[in-house]
Amino acid sequence: GASYPLTAENAAKAGFSGFRQKGNVDYVRSFHRAYDGVVWERDFVSADDLTILRDCLISKSRHEYAQVFHLGEDIRVLSADHQEVLLQLADTGYHVRLRQYGEPAELEVVRSDLQHPGYGMMSRGENHIEASTDLVFRCKDRCATFLTVITIENDEGMVRLFDQEASVSDMEYDLDADSITLGDVK
Protein backbone atom coordinates (compact mmCIF):
# COMPACT_ATOMS: atom_id res chain seq x y z
CA GLY A 1 0.00 0.00 0.00
CA ALA A 2 3.02 2.31 0.14
CA SER A 3 5.09 3.87 -2.60
CA TYR A 4 8.39 5.69 -3.04
CA PRO A 5 9.67 8.21 -5.59
CA LEU A 6 11.39 6.81 -8.68
CA THR A 7 14.69 8.63 -8.30
CA ALA A 8 18.29 7.70 -9.07
CA GLU A 9 18.95 7.64 -5.30
CA ASN A 10 16.16 5.12 -4.73
CA ALA A 11 17.23 3.02 -7.73
CA ALA A 12 20.54 2.44 -5.94
CA LYS A 13 18.64 1.08 -2.91
CA ALA A 14 17.73 -2.13 -4.75
CA GLY A 15 19.98 -4.77 -6.22
CA PHE A 16 21.79 -8.06 -5.79
CA SER A 17 24.07 -8.73 -2.85
CA GLY A 18 25.25 -12.23 -3.70
CA PHE A 19 24.94 -15.29 -5.88
CA ARG A 20 26.29 -18.79 -5.99
CA GLN A 21 25.99 -21.92 -8.09
CA LYS A 22 26.58 -25.29 -6.47
CA GLY A 23 26.10 -28.24 -8.78
CA ASN A 24 22.78 -27.71 -10.52
CA VAL A 25 21.40 -25.38 -7.85
CA ASP A 26 21.41 -21.59 -8.35
CA TYR A 27 21.20 -19.14 -5.45
CA VAL A 28 20.69 -15.36 -5.60
CA ARG A 29 20.20 -12.83 -2.79
CA SER A 30 18.63 -9.46 -3.56
CA PHE A 31 17.76 -6.45 -1.43
CA HIS A 32 15.42 -3.48 -1.48
CA ARG A 33 15.64 -0.50 0.89
CA ALA A 34 13.63 2.19 -0.94
CA TYR A 35 10.57 1.91 1.35
CA ASP A 36 11.15 4.26 4.28
CA GLY A 37 12.21 2.31 7.36
CA VAL A 38 11.86 -1.16 5.76
CA VAL A 39 14.63 -3.54 4.72
CA TRP A 40 13.65 -6.36 2.38
CA GLU A 41 15.88 -9.27 1.39
CA ARG A 42 14.97 -12.10 -0.96
CA ASP A 43 16.76 -15.40 -1.25
CA PHE A 44 16.01 -17.18 -4.52
CA VAL A 45 16.99 -20.84 -4.95
CA SER A 46 16.38 -22.67 -8.22
CA ALA A 47 16.81 -26.43 -8.55
CA ASP A 48 15.17 -27.47 -11.83
CA ASP A 49 11.39 -27.73 -11.14
CA LEU A 50 11.83 -26.67 -7.48
CA THR A 51 12.06 -22.97 -6.60
CA ILE A 52 12.38 -21.49 -3.12
CA LEU A 53 11.72 -17.84 -2.26
CA ARG A 54 12.43 -16.42 1.16
CA ASP A 55 11.34 -12.83 1.64
CA CYS A 56 12.53 -11.28 4.91
CA LEU A 57 11.10 -7.87 5.79
CA ILE A 58 12.44 -5.92 8.75
CA SER A 59 11.23 -2.65 10.25
CA LYS A 60 11.05 -0.90 13.62
CA SER A 61 7.35 -0.20 13.08
CA ARG A 62 4.39 -2.40 12.21
CA HIS A 63 3.42 -2.74 8.53
CA GLU A 64 1.16 -4.84 6.36
CA TYR A 65 3.42 -6.80 4.05
CA ALA A 66 2.19 -8.52 0.89
CA GLN A 67 3.78 -11.17 -1.29
CA VAL A 68 2.00 -11.13 -4.66
CA PHE A 69 2.02 -13.71 -7.46
CA HIS A 70 0.52 -12.61 -10.78
CA LEU A 71 -0.95 -15.59 -12.65
CA GLY A 72 -1.07 -15.91 -16.42
CA GLU A 73 -4.39 -16.21 -18.20
CA ASP A 74 -3.92 -19.95 -18.87
CA ILE A 75 -3.41 -20.81 -15.20
CA ARG A 76 -6.38 -22.02 -13.17
CA VAL A 77 -6.60 -22.10 -9.37
CA LEU A 78 -7.63 -25.62 -8.30
CA SER A 79 -7.39 -25.14 -4.53
CA ALA A 80 -6.12 -22.41 -2.24
CA ASP A 81 -5.64 -21.78 1.47
CA HIS A 82 -3.12 -19.78 3.50
CA GLN A 83 -0.56 -22.62 3.43
CA GLU A 84 -0.88 -24.05 -0.07
CA VAL A 85 -2.15 -23.18 -3.53
CA LEU A 86 -2.48 -25.71 -6.34
CA LEU A 87 -2.60 -24.37 -9.91
CA GLN A 88 -3.24 -26.07 -13.23
CA LEU A 89 -1.05 -25.05 -16.19
CA ALA A 90 -3.56 -24.82 -19.05
CA ASP A 91 -4.14 -28.29 -20.47
CA THR A 92 -0.53 -29.46 -20.16
CA GLY A 93 -1.07 -32.07 -17.42
CA TYR A 94 1.31 -30.15 -15.16
CA HIS A 95 0.52 -28.38 -11.90
CA VAL A 96 2.26 -25.68 -9.92
CA ARG A 97 2.14 -25.84 -6.14
CA LEU A 98 2.98 -22.88 -3.90
CA ARG A 99 3.52 -23.94 -0.31
CA GLN A 100 4.03 -21.40 2.46
CA TYR A 101 6.16 -22.35 5.49
CA GLY A 102 6.95 -20.45 8.67
CA GLU A 103 4.90 -17.56 9.94
CA PRO A 104 1.20 -17.67 9.06
CA ALA A 105 0.05 -15.39 6.26
CA GLU A 106 -3.48 -14.71 5.08
CA LEU A 107 -4.22 -15.53 1.44
CA GLU A 108 -6.53 -13.62 -0.84
CA VAL A 109 -7.16 -14.88 -4.38
CA VAL A 110 -8.02 -11.74 -6.35
CA ARG A 111 -9.78 -11.93 -9.69
CA SER A 112 -10.40 -8.35 -10.66
CA ASP A 113 -12.60 -6.74 -13.21
CA LEU A 114 -11.83 -3.64 -15.22
CA GLN A 115 -14.21 -1.46 -13.17
CA HIS A 116 -12.24 -1.82 -9.91
CA PRO A 117 -8.50 -1.06 -10.21
CA GLY A 118 -6.04 -2.79 -7.91
CA TYR A 119 -4.71 -6.31 -7.67
CA GLY A 120 -5.83 -8.69 -10.38
CA MET A 121 -4.94 -6.41 -13.28
CA MET A 122 -2.38 -7.01 -16.01
CA SER A 123 -1.01 -4.95 -18.86
CA ARG A 124 0.65 -6.55 -21.88
CA GLY A 125 1.32 -3.27 -23.67
CA GLU A 126 0.59 0.44 -23.83
CA ASN A 127 -3.01 1.47 -23.22
CA HIS A 128 -3.98 -2.15 -22.51
CA ILE A 129 -5.36 -3.51 -19.25
CA GLU A 130 -7.05 -6.83 -18.68
CA ALA A 131 -8.41 -8.68 -15.66
CA SER A 132 -6.21 -11.42 -14.24
CA THR A 133 -5.83 -13.47 -11.08
CA ASP A 134 -3.37 -12.63 -8.32
CA LEU A 135 -2.42 -14.57 -5.21
CA VAL A 136 -1.82 -12.11 -2.36
CA PHE A 137 -0.26 -13.43 0.86
CA ARG A 138 -0.43 -10.84 3.67
CA CYS A 139 0.77 -10.45 7.21
CA LYS A 140 0.98 -7.56 9.68
CA ASP A 141 3.96 -7.15 11.97
CA ARG A 142 7.24 -5.28 12.38
CA CYS A 143 9.20 -8.12 10.82
CA ALA A 144 7.94 -10.90 8.59
CA THR A 145 9.25 -13.84 6.59
CA PHE A 146 7.50 -15.42 3.65
CA LEU A 147 9.05 -18.81 2.89
CA THR A 148 7.51 -20.07 -0.35
CA VAL A 149 8.34 -23.34 -2.06
CA ILE A 150 7.16 -23.58 -5.67
CA THR A 151 7.11 -26.92 -7.45
CA ILE A 152 6.14 -27.91 -10.98
CA GLU A 153 4.58 -31.38 -10.86
CA ASN A 154 3.31 -33.94 -13.32
CA ASP A 155 -0.05 -35.72 -12.92
CA GLU A 156 1.44 -38.13 -10.35
CA GLY A 157 2.81 -35.31 -8.14
CA MET A 158 6.39 -35.93 -9.20
CA VAL A 159 8.87 -33.04 -9.39
CA ARG A 160 11.77 -33.17 -11.86
CA LEU A 161 15.12 -32.64 -10.15
CA PHE A 162 17.73 -32.84 -12.89
CA ASP A 163 18.22 -36.54 -13.72
CA GLN A 164 15.67 -37.82 -11.19
CA GLU A 165 12.13 -37.26 -9.93
CA ALA A 166 10.85 -36.93 -6.38
CA SER A 167 7.34 -37.02 -4.96
CA VAL A 168 6.13 -33.68 -3.65
CA SER A 169 4.55 -35.58 -0.75
CA ASP A 170 8.10 -36.42 0.46
CA MET A 171 9.15 -32.76 0.74
CA GLU A 172 10.28 -31.84 4.26
CA TYR A 173 10.95 -28.51 5.94
CA ASP A 174 13.27 -28.54 8.95
CA LEU A 175 12.85 -25.29 10.89
CA ASP A 176 15.83 -25.96 13.17
CA ALA A 177 18.22 -26.68 10.29
CA ASP A 178 16.53 -24.01 8.13
CA SER A 179 16.42 -26.44 5.23
CA ILE A 180 14.04 -27.97 2.73
CA THR A 181 14.66 -31.47 1.39
CA LEU A 182 13.10 -33.04 -1.69
CA GLY A 183 14.60 -36.23 -3.04
CA ASP A 184 18.40 -35.90 -2.96
CA VAL A 185 18.24 -32.08 -3.05
CA LYS A 186 18.62 -30.24 0.28
Side-chain angles (χ1 to χ4, degrees):
S3 187
Y4 55 87
L6 298 174
T7 63
E9 178 185 353
N10 279 338
K13 293 179 182 178
F16 297 99
S17 58
F19 67 93
R20 163 175 44 151
Q21 185 176 28
K22 184 177 181 181
N24 292 324
V25 178
D26 297 319
Y27 167 80
V28 176
R29 174 168 279 174
S30 59
F31 65 90
H32 191 285
R33 295 183 181 97
Y35 288 107
D36 190 34
V38 177
V39 174
W40 168 79
E41 284 188 340
R42 169 172 279 178
D43 293 314
F44 171 86
V45 179
S46 175
D48 209 3
D49 284 348
L50 169 71
T51 300
I52 301 169
L53 300 175
R54 182 191 350 234
D55 291 326
C56 296
L57 299 117
I58 302 166
S59 179
K60 292 181 181 176
S61 57
R62 186 176 167 91
H63 295 277
E64 178 178 289
Y65 299 112
Q67 184 188 50
V68 181
F69 294 92
H70 305 287
L71 304 182
E73 61 272 7
D74 291 336
I75 297 177
R76 193 175 83 189
V77 178
L78 298 178
S79 63
D81 65 38
H82 68 281
Q83 290 181 314
E84 185 173 280
V85 176
L86 185 62
L87 307 168
Q88 182 176 351
L89 293 175
D91 58 358
T92 65
Y94 286 91
H95 296 89
V96 174
R97 185 179 312 268
L98 286 85
R99 192 175 286 175
Q100 293 282 353
Y101 291 97
E103 302 169 22
E106 294 296 319
L107 170 65
E108 181 182 7
V109 179
V110 179
R111 175 79 182 162
S112 188
D113 61 51
L114 300 179
Q115 306 308 313
H116 302 92
Y119 288 120
M121 305 295 273
M122 150 183 329
S123 174
R124 295 202 182 276
E126 276 188 53
N127 297 319
H128 177 264
I129 295 177
E130 63 186 75
S132 67
T133 302
D134 288 346
L135 306 174
V136 184
F137 291 94
R138 289 189 176 93
C139 66
K140 293 180 184 177
D141 210 334
R142 290 182 312 107
C143 302
T145 300
F146 295 97
L147 178 58
T148 309
V149 177
I150 304 169
T151 53
I152 300 173
E153 308 164 14
N154 66 18
D155 281 339
E156 290 85 40
M158 300 299 285
V159 179
R160 185 184 68 210
L161 296 169
F162 315 109
D163 57 353
Q164 63 175 319
E165 287 185 332
S167 173
V168 72
S169 63
D170 295 335
M171 186 164 47
E172 295 180 5
Y173 171 58
D174 183 341
L175 177 64
D176 295 329
D178 193 28
S179 67
I180 293 173
T181 304
L182 180 60
D184 292 337
V185 176
K186 182 172 185 172

